[in-house]
Amino acid sequence: MATGSSGSKATARPRRAPEVSVLRVGHRAGRDPRLTTHLALAARAFGARRMFLHPPDRELAVRVDGVVRGWGGAFEIVPAEEWKKVVRSFDGPVVHLTMYGLPLSRVLPKISRAARVLFVVGGAKVPPDLYRLATYNVAVGHQPHSEVAALAVALERLLGVPRPGPWPNARRTIVPRARGKKVLERPGVP
Amino acid sequence: MATGSSGSKATARPRRAPEVSVLRVGHRAGRDPRLTTHLALAARAFGARRMFLHPPDRELAVRVDGVVRGWGGAFEIVPAEEWKKVVRSFDGPVVHLTMYGLPLSRVLPKISRAARVLFVVGGAKVPPDLYRLATYNVAVGHQPHSEVAALAVALERLLGVPRPGPWPNARRTIVPRARGKKVLERPGVP
């Protein structure tokens, strides 16, 4: 039996999901704290590994860090002084989420085979260069809505809805219930 | 050929998608204007018909109305002085989105057969009664994230990602593009 890496059974093997990073461009610390927090938490909850934040916002990073310490996983906020550097040095497809782009369904098969994917989400003002520097400009619906919604749906389409169960190093884990709230606390976790 | 409504070919016929309403409970006009705007626009973009807003916020309703006039469709913000009345009088399953609930995948088959579905999204403080009054408490992932993300993914799982093309009575329609922006303007529409 052949065990080569390009055997004919390749399509039957479960493919490893891409490692996803997110880049938030044009965050306004004074105006956007809650929206960018929602964006970061959605990125984490739907399986992204990190969010580059341009411009950096130390308070927000600390806040998100507190969520990671409580609920587990290895998500991190990475300060990005220059967003173009993040885009140019990224080793994989760069997917700019914009209502003006191509339908997600057309681009999804291409990016799902990549080892690493970078989703870029702009704020109120998107630098025009971003359309040119991105590998793909992709729309999650072609109506005005929300970068939080666009990112969450894109991540869900790429990686699926996350299942219940504890995350690595979690102090707190939800036990799904039909009514009310049940949270397992693990005070032993440092 | 039989044309009865309960023929054996029922499963082969495309099922009519449920008409979806959204209820936002506990909006804080001073603190949440942008988050609730994102929520309303995501609701509209992903196919909901209306959003009940508790407590009412006239400014926000006017703002969302402006988007509807420009981009088409019949989405509306409905002021809700008493959220319990909306829940109790709703003629269909009431689905409270909460990270403490049952996985979306378990509840989706049940609600996708309904004629009407009401998604309820709370703000920072969710009234405890809501867990009891809802038909289902449903989690979109069991991690803290964002009501905007939860609603968008729930709508997308129920109704699919909306396709490109003009909405009814739209003055503006996006033409999907790999680079840049293309918008069709129809100045003739009143």
Side-chain angles (χ1 to χ4, degrees):
Chain A
M1 299 237 291
T3 54
S5 62
S6 58
S8 59
K9 286 184 183 171
T11 52
R13 278 182 219 142
R15 183 184 291 140
R16 186 178 293 211
E19 190 208 65
V20 177
S21 301
V22 174
L23 165 61
R24 160 65 137 184
V25 173
H27 166 62
R28 297 166 301 177
R31 277 204 72 192
D32 292 343
R34 300 185 64 220
L35 266 178
T36 303
T37 302
H38 279 230
L39 193 71
L41 294 182
R44 174 186 171 275
F46 289 95
R49 179 63 185 74
R50 65 187 63 80
M51 187 171 95
F52 298 99
L53 181 54
H54 164 85
D57 179 342
R58 177 137 180 77
E59 271 181 54
L60 191 145
V62 168
R63 219 156 44 233
V64 171
D65 218 49
V67 173
V68 174
R69 274 203 308 281
W71 295 92
F75 182 82
E76 55 184 343
I77 300 284
V78 182
E81 293 286 353
E82 298 179 55
W83 68 265
K84 282 188 191 176
K85 270 198 185 164
V86 177
V87 168
R88 286 198 171 119
S89 66
F90 192 78
D91 179 24
V94 175
V95 182
H96 172 213
L97 296 176
T98 162
M99 66 198 269
Y100 301 101
L102 299 174
L104 177 62
S105 56
R106 269 179 62 181
V107 176
L108 210 50
K110 297 173 190 174
I111 61 174
S112 60
R113 282 184 219 112
R116 273 167 296 279
V117 173
L118 177 67
F119 284 115
V120 188
V121 275
K125 294 209 175 181
V126 174
D129 279 356
L130 185 49
Y131 289 88
R132 186 175 52 79
L133 293 171
T135 318
Y136 303 106
N137 293 283
V138 168
V140 183
H142 304 265
Q143 296 286 325
H145 55 94
S146 166
E147 59 266 38
V148 180
L151 178 65
V153 171
L155 283 169
E156 181 269 318
R157 296 290 298 155
L158 186 63
L159 305 175
V161 176
R163 290 151 187 265
W167 284 31
N169 303 315
R171 290 181 196 169
R172 283 191 291 280
T173 303
I174 284 170
V175 181
R177 281 171 72 96
R179 308 274 162 205
K181 307 178 182 181
K182 185 168 183 183
V183 181
L184 288 184
E185 303 275 353
R186 296 196 301 172
V189 175
Chain B
M1 299 242 284
T3 53
S5 62
S6 59
S8 59
K9 285 185 185 172
T11 51
R13 276 180 218 142
R15 183 184 291 142
R16 184 178 295 212
E19 189 207 65
V20 177
S21 301
V22 173
L23 164 62
R24 159 66 137 183
V25 173
H27 166 63
R28 297 166 301 177
R31 280 204 71 192
D32 292 345
R34 300 186 63 222
L35 267 178
T36 303
T37 302
H38 279 231
L39 194 71
L41 295 182
R44 173 187 172 275
F46 288 96
R49 178 66 185 68
R50 65 186 64 79
M51 186 172 94
F52 298 100
L53 182 55
H54 164 83
D57 181 340
R58 177 138 180 76
E59 272 181 54
L60 191 145
V62 168
R63 219 158 44 235
V64 171
D65 218 49
V67 173
V68 174
R69 274 204 307 280
W71 294 91
F75 183 82
E76 55 184 342
I77 300 285
V78 182
E81 293 286 353
E82 298 179 54
W83 68 264
K84 282 188 191 176
K85 269 197 185 164
V86 177
V87 168
R88 286 198 172 117
S89 66
F90 192 78
D91 179 26
V94 175
V95 182
H96 172 214
L97 296 176
T98 162
M99 66 198 268
Y100 300 101
L102 299 174
L104 177 62
S105 56
R106 270 178 63 181
V107 177
L108 210 51
K110 297 172 188 173
I111 62 175
S112 60
R113 282 183 217 112
R116 273 168 296 279
V117 172
L118 176 68
F119 283 115
V120 188
V121 276
K125 293 209 176 182
V126 174
D129 279 356
L130 184 50
Y131 288 87
R132 187 175 50 81
L133 293 172
T135 318
Y136 302 107
N137 292 283
V138 168
V140 183
H142 304 265
Q143 295 287 325
H145 54 92
S146 167
E147 59 266 37
V148 181
L151 178 65
V153 171
L155 283 169
E156 181 270 318
R157 296 290 297 153
L158 186 63
L159 306 175
V161 176
R163 290 150 188 267
W167 284 30
N169 304 314
R171 292 179 194 168
R172 283 191 290 283
T173 303
I174 285 171
V175 182
R177 282 171 71 95
R179 308 273 162 204
K181 307 177 182 182
K182 184 169 184 183
V183 181
L184 289 184
E185 302 275 353
R186 296 197 301 173
V189 175

